[in-house]
Amino acid sequence: MPAITLSRKLGSLGTEIARSLADSLGYRMMWREVINEAASRACAPEVALAVIDDLGLLGLRPSSKAQRAFLESVQQIVEQLAAEGNVVVVGRAGQIILRGYPGVLHVRITAPLALRVERIAARHSISAAAAKARVESSDQSRSTYVRRHYHVDWDDPKSYDLVINTEIIPVPVARDLITLTWEQRMQTPMTSSSLS
Amino acid sequence: MSEPDETQPAFAHPSEKAFARILDYYGIEWQYEPDTFVLRQDSQGHTLEAFSPDFYLPQQDLYIELTTLRPKLIRHKNRKIRRMKELHPEINIKLFKRRNIRDMMIKYGIDEEARKIMDREAQ
């Protein structure tokens, strides 16, 4: 089950790194697909919107029942993707769902807040204040998702095998670092700490 | 994803345009009023009442109907949605009661961003 989970902060260039990594390894990159498929399986399509809406613009408040069904589906889909292998799973707390699974590498992409704000402002041609509001809201939303549903600190480096700060590490170097770590991991004898 | 250019539909209400901008921001594919559902017919099969939800999101397989906060309008739309669910239980539809979306869009620069894109494409 070769799989890489990638957790990233808004403005960290994590999505770009995930895409470059998936292209270079010939893996699938799964991101929104997990959200939409999980919501569909849970028969709660509005939960997909609530999850995508990390700025809270739509004001959706899915029921606890719908959220539980969604989370169960997310878990099943992420485990299924890992079992199929050759995949980069972006977000959805993959580092927690697949913690301890053999043949899975957990990567975190981050960068200082000020730099992420600067990147978002430049990318979208918006004011620094609007960019800062977006970044902070996104951080809060993603952190809350992980803490509320999995009781884990999103920022805890112990949840990851490799943490990359893109302040001085550009996308291609980050991709190569992950690839090197990945190759090393694949050469290490796998342990079955969580799988039978 | 739908692009905010001259091919955009003629939205019936500014709130629909704002909603489309939010969907664009999140990269959510959408269609504007793509389907009409018959709610009531006479004995000859003529349509007496129909309902066209404002948006359809194909990736989520979800219809969206927007409404303002006027109670009369909300009641009216709720009735239509209830009827539609009775006739088409397989259809997913959600009524959005919009609150302060405009203020939120300004806070996050989405309004400004969309306007710049529109200006650029108009040149």
Side-chain angles (χ1 to χ4, degrees):
Chain A
M1 57 156 58
I4 299 172
T5 71
L6 192 142
S7 166
R8 80 284 188 234
K9 289 189 166 182
L10 183 64
S12 68
L13 305 179
T15 305
E16 290 84 344
I17 291 168
R19 195 169 289 124
S20 176
L21 180 67
D23 285 348
S24 126
L25 293 172
Y27 286 8
R28 292 173 296 160
M29 172 178 155
M30 302 301 280
W31 171 44
R32 277 288 171 80
E33 297 83 355
V34 175
I35 297 171
N36 289 331
E37 174 63 19
S40 173
R41 284 194 197 180
C43 298
E46 74 277 10
V47 182
L49 290 190
V51 171
I52 292 168
D53 179 22
D54 60 3
L55 301 185
L57 294 170
L58 302 175
L60 282 166
R61 298 281 181 275
S63 68
S64 302
K65 187 182 168 192
Q67 287 193 51
R68 273 198 305 275
F70 173 76
L71 282 169
E72 283 170 17
S73 296
V74 166
Q75 173 129 359
Q76 289 166 4
I77 291 165
V78 169
E79 288 173 341
Q80 185 184 329
L81 286 169
E84 291 167 4
N86 298 345
V87 66
V88 177
V89 180
V90 178
R92 294 310 98 213
Q95 76 278 10
I96 299 158
I97 294 172
L98 300 177
R99 181 165 45 195
Y101 276 55
V104 181
L105 182 75
H106 304 296
V107 179
R108 168 73 151 176
I109 308 296
T110 188
L113 175 66
L115 177 59
R116 295 189 290 125
V117 168
E118 196 178 297
R119 285 172 178 164
I120 293 299
R123 181 187 302 167
H124 299 285
S125 304
I126 57 174
S127 69
K132 187 165 187 283
R134 273 191 204 184
V135 169
E136 288 177 342
S137 179
S138 172
D139 284 356
Q140 165 105 26
S141 171
R142 294 177 189 185
S143 171
T144 300
Y145 178 90
V146 173
R147 191 178 60 249
R148 179 176 297 157
H149 301 307
Y150 299 98
H151 314 293
V152 170
D153 177 2
W154 188 46
D155 281 324
D156 185 353
K158 292 196 293 294
S159 295
Y160 309 96
D161 300 308
L162 178 65
V163 178
I164 296 177
N165 178 349
T166 58
E167 184 176 19
I168 57 165
I169 299 177
V171 170
V173 177
R175 178 201 60 213
D176 293 347
L177 277 172
I178 298 168
T179 305
L180 275 172
T181 312
W182 178 231
E183 287 169 354
Q184 174 71 29
R185 177 70 179 260
M186 294 303 284
Q187 287 166 7
T188 307
M190 291 182 183
T191 58
S192 54
S193 55
S194 65
L195 283 184
S196 55
Chain B
M1 178 172 52
S2 308
E3 296 292 335
D5 58 16
E6 67 278 0
T7 62
Q8 273 217 339
F11 293 109
H13 192 273
S15 66
E16 295 171 354
K17 189 172 183 177
F19 190 78
R21 284 179 180 178
I22 293 171
L23 296 176
D24 282 340
Y25 168 70
Y26 285 127
I28 298 170
E29 189 182 331
W30 56 268
Q31 297 165 8
Y32 181 66
E33 294 189 342
D35 298 308
T36 297
F37 298 90
V38 175
L39 299 184
R40 202 156 52 93
Q41 293 177 310
D42 65 14
S43 54
Q44 272 86 47
H46 299 124
T47 299
L48 298 177
E49 188 179 21
F51 180 39
S52 303
D54 295 320
F55 289 89
Y56 175 63
L57 314 183
Q59 290 166 338
Q60 287 77 29
D61 186 24
L62 178 67
Y63 287 90
I64 301 284
E65 178 67 11
L66 299 180
T67 185
T68 64
L69 295 174
R70 279 181 292 173
K72 189 179 170 186
L73 199 56
I74 290 177
R75 276 200 302 274
H76 179 63
K77 290 201 173 179
N78 270 332
R79 189 189 62 75
K80 280 193 163 187
I81 287 173
R82 273 200 305 275
R83 180 69 181 143
M84 193 172 133
K85 284 180 175 173
E86 286 168 9
L87 294 172
H88 305 280
E90 75 285 2
I91 298 287
N92 297 310
I93 182 162
K94 176 89 183 166
L95 181 67
F96 271 72
K97 297 165 189 170
R98 299 184 58 260
R99 286 178 192 272
N100 306 321
I101 278 187
R102 177 87 186 170
D103 291 345
M104 296 285 276
M105 288 175 73
I106 290 168
K107 176 182 174 186
Y108 294 121
I110 290 169
D111 210 37
E112 186 184 347
E113 184 180 327
R115 195 168 52 245
K116 281 177 183 166
I117 293 167
M118 302 276 274
D119 289 347
R120 216 169 29 239
E121 295 197 350
Q123 287 170 1

